[in-house]
Amino acid sequence: MTTYVRATDPFPLESADHTKLHEFYARLAEGRLVTTRCSSCATTAWPPRGFCGECASDAFAWVELPREGAIHAFTVQDTGLPPGFDGPRVFAIVKLDALRIFAVVTGVADPATLQIGQRVRLAPVRVRDDPKGQPRWLLAFTPA
Ligand SMILES: [Zn+2]
């Protein structure tokens, strides 16, 4: 049974035991959105990266991102949802400054009412704890 649960666990292992990017999730739990900026060449990454794709440096700093953006594109999933998810599920690319961030959009009663350019705000979702019982958070937005 444990093997089955782990095999179907759709969420990353977010704790410091598993990723050097654990601070991203810790701040998400506080309702903050951050990403990495290379300390060597100042490239801002999305998603957060432990090394720079431009200069290969592994020195980075956390930078705060806005908590509100606009829907750049979206799609709706009606079927094939993982166990425990209610449909329909909305996925969007959200414009935040120069970044384009893929995330779930929650709190949408009727996806047909969503529009490109609509304002959304950060609304992290607590998901199933990791196998050691540590809380985990999923990046999500909701209509502003
Ligand atoms: Zn760099």
Side-chain angles (χ1 to χ4, degrees):
M1 184 174 187
T2 299
T3 301
Y4 174 79
V5 169
R6 284 187 178 175
T8 59
D9 186 343
F11 304 111
L13 296 169
E14 301 177 353
S15 71
D17 295 344
H18 294 102
T19 174
K20 69 191 282 190
L21 300 174
H22 62 93
E23 288 184 50
F24 169 80
Y25 299 104
R27 289 171 183 173
L28 195 60
E30 298 170 353
R32 297 162 61 199
L33 186 60
V34 295
T35 192
T36 53
R37 177 173 293 150
C38 176
S39 298
S40 183
C41 76
T43 297
T44 299
W46 184 266
R49 293 196 177 115
F51 66 94
C52 179
E54 296 298 317
C55 75
S57 168
D58 65 354
F60 62 85
W62 292 101
V63 292
E64 205 85 23
L65 295 175
R67 295 178 201 183
E68 197 171 305
I71 292 179
H72 177 73
F74 68 94
T75 190
V76 180
Q77 183 182 17
D78 286 307
T79 60
L81 294 160
F85 284 85
D86 296 326
R89 198 88 173 151
V90 177
F91 297 91
I93 297 171
V94 175
K95 285 199 305 194
L96 278 183
D97 288 345
L99 301 176
R100 302 289 182 272
I101 294 176
F102 182 79
V104 171
V105 179
T106 61
V108 181
D110 179 6
T113 63
L114 274 180
Q115 299 198 340
I116 303 299
Q118 185 171 342
R119 301 295 294 175
V120 289
R121 65 176 166 77
L122 183 67
V125 173
R126 175 128 184 224
V127 294
R128 187 187 319 133
D129 291 351
D130 78 9
K132 290 184 175 176
Q134 298 296 310
R136 289 191 291 185
W137 292 83
L138 176 68
L139 175 61
F141 290 86
T142 195

